[in-house]
Coordinates of all heavy atoms in Angstrom, one line a residue:
Q1 N 100.8 114.6 167.2 CA 99.5 114.9 167.9 C 98.5 113.8 167.8 O 97.4 113.9 168.3 CB 98.8 116.2 167.3 CG 99.7 117.5 167.4 CD 99.8 117.9 168.8 OE1 98.9 118.2 169.5 NE2 101.1 117.8 169.4
T2 N 98.9 112.7 167.1 CA 97.9 111.6 166.9 C 98.7 110.3 167.3 O 99.9 110.3 167.5 CB 97.5 111.5 165.4 OG1 98.6 110.9 164.6 CG2 97.1 112.8 164.8
E3 N 97.9 109.2 167.2 CA 98.5 107.9 167.4 C 98.7 107.1 166.2 O 99.1 106.0 166.2 CB 97.7 107.1 168.4 CG 97.7 107.7 169.8 CD 96.9 107.1 170.8 OE1 96.4 105.9 170.5 OE2 96.8 107.5 171.9
L4 N 98.4 107.8 164.9 CA 98.5 107.1 163.7 C 99.9 107.2 163.2 O 100.6 108.1 163.4 CB 97.5 107.7 162.7 CG 96.0 107.5 163.1 CD1 95.2 108.2 162.0 CD2 95.6 106.1 163.3
S5 N 100.3 106.2 162.3 CA 101.6 106.2 161.7 C 101.5 107.2 160.5 O 100.4 107.6 160.0 CB 101.8 104.8 161.1 OG 101.0 104.6 159.9
P6 N 102.7 107.7 160.1 CA 102.8 108.7 159.0 C 102.0 108.1 157.7 O 101.4 108.8 157.1 CB 104.3 108.8 158.7 CG 104.9 108.5 160.0 CD 104.0 107.5 160.6
E7 N 102.2 106.8 157.5 CA 101.5 106.2 156.3 C 100.0 106.3 156.5 O 99.2 106.5 155.5 CB 101.9 104.8 156.1 CG 101.3 104.1 154.9 CD 101.8 102.7 154.7 OE1 102.6 102.2 155.3 OE2 101.2 102.0 153.7
Q8 N 99.4 105.9 157.7 CA 98.0 106.0 157.9 C 97.5 107.4 157.7 O 96.4 107.6 157.1 CB 97.7 105.5 159.3 CG 97.9 104.1 159.5 CD 97.7 103.5 160.9 OE1 98.3 104.2 161.9 NE2 97.0 102.5 161.2
L9 N 98.3 108.4 158.2 CA 97.8 109.8 158.2 C 97.8 110.2 156.7 O 96.9 110.9 156.2 CB 98.8 110.8 159.0 CG 98.5 110.6 160.4 CD1 99.7 111.4 161.2 CD2 97.3 111.2 160.8
R10 N 98.9 109.8 155.9 CA 99.0 110.2 154.5 C 97.8 109.6 153.7 O 97.1 110.2 152.9 CB 100.3 109.7 153.9 CG 100.5 110.1 152.5 CD 101.9 109.7 152.0 NE 102.4 108.3 152.3 CZ 103.2 108.0 153.3 NH1 103.8 108.9 154.0 NH2 103.6 106.8 153.5
N11 N 97.4 108.3 154.1 CA 96.3 107.7 153.4 C 95.0 108.4 153.8 O 94.0 108.6 152.9 CB 96.2 106.2 153.7 CG 97.4 105.5 153.2 OD1 98.0 105.9 152.2 ND2 97.7 104.3 153.7
L12 N 94.8 108.7 155.0 CA 93.6 109.3 155.6 C 93.3 110.7 154.8 O 92.1 111.0 154.4 CB 93.7 109.6 157.1 CG 92.6 110.3 157.7 CD1 91.3 109.5 157.8 CD2 93.0 110.7 159.2
A13 N 94.3 111.4 154.6 CA 94.2 112.7 154.1 C 94.4 112.8 152.6 O 94.2 113.9 152.0 CB 95.3 113.7 154.6
S14 N 94.6 111.7 151.9 CA 94.9 111.6 150.4 C 93.9 112.2 149.5 O 94.2 112.8 148.6 CB 95.3 110.2 150.0 OG 94.2 109.4 150.2
G15 N 92.6 112.1 149.9 CA 91.4 112.6 149.0 C 90.9 113.9 149.3 O 89.9 114.3 148.7
F16 N 91.6 114.6 150.1 CA 91.0 115.9 150.5 C 91.6 117.2 150.0 O 91.4 118.2 150.5 CB 90.9 116.0 152.1 CG 89.9 115.0 152.6 CD1 90.4 113.7 153.1 CD2 88.6 115.3 152.7 CE1 89.5 112.8 153.5 CE2 87.7 114.4 153.1 CZ 88.2 113.1 153.6
C17 N 92.4 117.1 149.0 CA 93.0 118.2 148.4 C 92.1 119.0 147.4 O 91.1 118.4 147.1 CB 94.3 117.9 147.7 SG 94.1 116.6 146.3
T18 N 92.5 120.1 147.0 CA 91.7 120.9 146.0 C 90.2 121.1 146.4 O 89.3 120.9 145.7 CB 91.7 120.2 144.6 OG1 93.0 119.7 144.4 CG2 91.5 121.2 143.5
G19 N 90.2 121.3 147.8 CA 88.8 121.7 148.2 C 87.8 120.6 148.4 O 86.9 120.5 147.5
M20 N 88.1 119.6 149.3 CA 87.3 118.5 149.5 C 87.2 117.5 148.3 O 86.2 117.1 147.8 CB 85.9 119.0 149.7 CG 85.0 118.5 150.8 SD 85.7 117.7 152.3 CE 84.6 116.6 152.6
G21 N 88.4 117.2 147.8 CA 88.5 116.2 146.7 C 88.2 116.8 145.3 O 87.3 116.2 144.6
T22 N 88.7 117.9 145.0 CA 88.6 118.7 143.8 C 87.3 119.3 143.5 O 86.9 119.8 142.4 CB 88.8 117.7 142.5 OG1 87.8 116.8 142.4 CG2 90.1 117.0 142.6
L23 N 86.5 119.5 144.6 CA 85.2 120.3 144.5 C 85.4 121.8 144.7 O 84.4 122.5 144.7 CB 84.2 119.7 145.5 CG 83.8 118.2 145.3 CD1 82.9 117.8 146.5 CD2 83.1 118.1 144.0
E24 N 86.6 122.3 145.0 CA 86.8 123.6 145.3 C 86.0 124.0 146.5 O 85.7 125.3 146.6 CB 86.6 124.4 144.1 CG 87.6 124.2 143.0 CD 87.3 124.9 141.7 OE1 86.2 125.6 141.6 OE2 88.0 124.7 140.8
A25 N 85.7 123.1 147.4 CA 84.9 123.5 148.6 C 85.9 123.7 149.7 O 86.9 124.4 149.5 CB 84.0 122.3 148.9
T26 N 85.7 123.2 150.9 CA 86.5 123.5 152.1 C 88.0 123.1 151.8 O 88.3 122.1 151.2 CB 86.0 122.6 153.3 OG1 84.7 123.0 153.5 CG2 86.8 123.0 154.6
C27 N 88.9 124.1 152.2 CA 90.3 124.0 151.9 C 90.9 122.7 152.5 O 90.6 122.4 153.7 CB 91.0 125.2 152.5 SG 92.8 125.1 152.5
G28 N 91.6 122.0 151.8 CA 92.3 120.7 152.2 C 93.1 120.9 153.4 O 93.2 119.9 154.3
A29 N 93.8 122.0 153.5 CA 94.7 122.2 154.5 C 93.9 122.4 155.8 O 94.3 121.8 156.9 CB 95.6 123.5 154.3
L30 N 92.8 123.1 155.8 CA 91.9 123.2 157.0 C 91.3 121.8 157.4 O 91.2 121.6 158.5 CB 90.8 124.3 156.6 CG 89.8 124.5 157.7 CD1 90.4 125.0 158.9 CD2 88.9 125.5 157.1
I31 N 91.0 121.1 156.4 CA 90.5 119.8 156.6 C 91.5 118.9 157.3 O 91.2 118.1 158.3 CB 90.0 119.0 155.3 CG1 88.7 119.7 154.8 CG2 89.6 117.6 155.6 CD1 88.4 119.3 153.4
G32 N 92.7 118.9 156.9 CA 93.8 118.2 157.5 C 94.0 118.6 159.0 O 94.1 117.7 159.9
A33 N 93.9 119.8 159.3 CA 94.1 120.3 160.6 C 92.8 119.8 161.5 O 93.0 119.4 162.6 CB 94.1 121.8 160.7

């Protein structure tokens, strides 16, 4: 759905797990979408 490479996407999303980077805020899966 994007023009980015798998590596670029992986890097882009790397810091957003555990609720906005371990803050337990917005779900990382939702942020990824």
Side-chain angles (χ1 to χ4, degrees):
Q1 298 291 297
T2 79
E3 295 180 4
L4 297 182
S5 71
E7 183 178 355
Q8 288 172 316
L9 287 168
R10 187 174 44 257
N11 291 342
L12 176 68
S14 64
F16 291 96
C17 59
T18 321
M20 223 28 211
T22 72
L23 296 174
E24 297 171 354
T26 305
C27 172
L30 179 57
I31 293 169

